[in-house]
Amino acid sequence: MPEVAAAHAEVREVLQVPADKAVFEPLTHNPSNGVTAGVWRVSGGDRSAVLKVLTRTKETSAAWSASNDPRHWNFWRREAYVYRSGLARVWQRHGIRAPRLLEYVERPDGDVALWLENVPGEPATVWPLTHHVEHARRLGAAQGAVGAGEDIPWLSQGFLRDYTSAQTTGRALLDDDAAWRHPLIRRHFPPGLREDMVRLHHDREWFLTVMESLPRALSHLDQWPANVVSDRSGAGVLLDWAFTGDGALGEDLGNYLPDCVLDLFVPAADLPGLAKAAYDAYLHGLRESGWRGDERLVRLGVCASAVKYDWLTALMLARADQEPVAYGGEGTVPAELRYRERGLTLAFLAEWAAEARTLAPLLGFPEAPSGR
C-alpha cells in the first residue's frame, strides 16, 4: 500500500475487506499539482473505488503550488467542498454528473481523503466525434439552466487570468528568432503563426478583460477528454472538480475543444468540423434550457477563450529540444506528431482570436489593440 494512501480503517469502511487484501493501482493525473497527493483505483473483494488524497504540503513549482485562499484557482480543499456540498450533482439532470462520494475523511496529518465511485465506462479519450458533440449539448443545457453560484464563497474566481499568468516557461522566446528557426518549429508551425501568437500574447489583457465581462456560468474549468467518462446509462461523468468556479458562458467549451487535439485524442484535421458541430450543439443546449441571451456573446466567450493557450506557444518553443512526455509523465510522444498537431491547433486558435477581435466591438467592447 502506498504510504500516502495508507488508510486501513478507510479501506475496511469502503471496501469491507482488510487493508492488506486491497490492491492500489496508481491512476494518471497531473503530478505537478500541489493539491494532489495521489490518485488510486483501490480494489478488494468484489468492490472497487477511486481514492484521491488532497494536500497542501506537497512540494512543487510555484505555478502549481496549493493555495489556502478559497477563491484561488488552486485552493487545495475545493474539490472536497464540491462533493460534500452536493454542487457536483447540479448538472445531473442534464446528463452530466460526478462520481458518487463514498467516503470523506479528514486525516490526522491534515490531508483529506475522497473515496469516490469507480465509474466503469468509456473514457472520452476514445469517443467518436458524435459523443463529444453530445457532451457539448449537455454542457450547454446544464450551464443555461444552473446559476453561476455567485454566493458560494469557495468557488474559484479569476481562474483564466491567474492560471495563465502562472505559466511563464519560455515567454522570452516569443521574440527570439533562433527559437522560431528550430527545425521542429519550422516544419510544423504554419506560416503566419508566429505573428498571430505574438499578437495574442500582447493582446492578453484585452482578451482577459473581455472574458471577465461576458455572461457568467458555473464552470468546471478543467474540461478535457481525460476528465470525462460515459457511464453505463450513457451519462457523462465529469471528474476532477478542483478548479470549479466562475467562468464565462462558453469558456468550458473553449477549453474542451482544443484539448481534444492537444493531447492527441482527436486528429487536428477534425478540429474545425468538431468545433462547429459542438458549438451548434452547445447553443442548442442553452436554448433548450431556456437561455434567451444574445448568441453572439456565447460565440465571443468560446473564441476569446483562445487566450487560455497564450502560454502554450512559448512552452513549445522552450521544449523543442526535449523528448515530449505524455500527460502525467507516463511514456513519451513522438515529437513530430506532437508539434504537427499542436501547430495546427494553435493556428486554429489564432482564427478564434481573430474572430473575437472582430465580434467584440459589435457587442460594445473596445477594439483590440492594433497588431504590431
Side-chain angles (χ1 to χ4, degrees), residues 87-100:
L87 187 67
R89 297 193 296 271
V90 296
W91 290 346
Q92 191 158 329
R93 68 188 182 93
H94 303 287
I96 298 176
R97 69 178 184 90
R100 289 180 296 113

Side-chain angles (χ1 to χ4, degrees), residues 25-354:
E25 174 194 352
L27 296 180
T28 301
H29 63 284
N30 178 4
S32 300
N33 197 330
V35 308
T36 310
V39 187
W40 299 266
R41 179 181 293 109
V42 190
S43 305
D46 60 354
R47 296 172 182 248
S48 65
V50 170
L51 168 62
K52 184 170 188 177
V53 179
L54 310 181
T55 188
R56 57 181 166 182
T57 59
K58 179 177 172 181
E59 292 187 10
T60 188
S61 67
W64 285 102
S65 60
S67 174
N68 289 313
D69 177 359
R71 293 297 196 182
H72 188 274
W73 64 271
N74 216 27
F75 172 49
W76 78 279
R77 279 184 172 267
R78 180 173 298 111
E79 191 162 22
Y81 289 158
V82 170
Y83 278 104
R84 294 199 80 195
S85 69
L87 187 67
R89 297 193 296 271
V90 296
W91 290 346
Q92 191 158 329
R93 68 188 182 93
H94 303 287
I96 298 176
R97 69 178 184 90
R100 289 180 296 113
L101 177 65
L102 305 177
E103 194 74 27
Y104 168 91
V105 182
E106 295 268 359
R107 291 184 167 177
D109 62 3
D111 289 352
V112 171
L114 299 178
W115 288 85
L116 304 168
E117 169 193 9
N118 177 35
V119 181
E122 184 179 52
T125 55
V126 298
W127 280 359
L129 297 181
T130 53
H131 284 32
H132 295 297
V133 173
E134 173 59 14
H135 179 69
R137 185 198 65 77
R138 293 173 177 179
L139 179 61
Q143 292 187 321
V146 175
E150 298 93 337
D151 298 329
I152 301 175
W154 39 261
L155 289 178
S156 66
Q157 286 189 336
F159 167 81
L160 194 59
R161 179 179 293 275
D162 294 340
Y163 174 84
T164 56
S165 296
Q167 316 301 318
T168 59
T169 302
R171 190 169 285 178
L173 297 179
L174 286 172
D175 291 312
D176 186 312
D177 291 342
W180 286 94
R181 285 197 298 267
H182 190 285
L184 267 178
I185 302 298
R186 294 183 67 178
R187 281 196 297 272
H188 300 300
F189 278 25
L193 186 61
R194 177 179 181 175
E195 180 182 352
D196 289 337
M197 290 296 105
V198 169
R199 185 178 181 193
L200 178 62
H201 179 67
H202 285 282
D203 288 356
R204 182 173 166 273
E205 179 60 33
W206 180 87
F207 278 96
L208 291 170
T209 300
V210 167
M211 290 295 289
E212 291 164 354
S213 305
L214 290 168
R216 314 317 292 164
L218 176 68
S219 301
H220 179 270
L221 298 172
D222 197 15
Q223 294 228 17
W224 66 305
N227 277 343
V228 190
V229 178
S230 290
D231 70 11
R232 287 169 177 163
S233 73
V237 183
L238 190 52
L239 315 175
D240 198 353
W241 295 69
F243 299 163
T244 305
D246 170 72
L249 203 59
E251 184 173 337
D252 268 345
L253 185 64
N255 184 90
Y256 185 87
L257 293 171
D259 270 3
C260 285
V261 177
L262 292 173
D263 284 286
L264 306 175
F265 305 128
V266 170
D270 290 338
L271 180 56
L274 171 62
K276 182 183 187 312
Y279 174 75
D280 290 345
Y282 181 79
L283 188 62
H284 181 76
L286 282 173
R287 298 299 191 201
E288 197 176 57
S289 71
W291 188 83
R292 294 291 177 263
D294 187 337
E295 178 263 330
R296 295 176 300 170
L297 292 169
V298 182
R299 184 64 187 170
L300 182 57
V302 172
C303 292
S305 68
V307 74
K308 162 82 185 291
Y309 299 95
D310 161 52
W311 57 273
L312 183 58
T313 306
L315 183 73
M316 300 301 289
L317 293 171
R319 293 187 175 173
D321 286 320
Q322 300 175 21
E323 188 174 27
V325 178
Y327 176 77
E330 298 186 356
T332 59
V333 175
E336 298 289 340
L337 176 63
R338 170 158 283 179
Y339 275 77
R340 184 192 74 206
E341 296 295 282
R342 289 193 171 182
L344 292 170
T345 305
L346 290 170
F348 179 84
L349 290 167
E351 293 177 6
W352 266 4

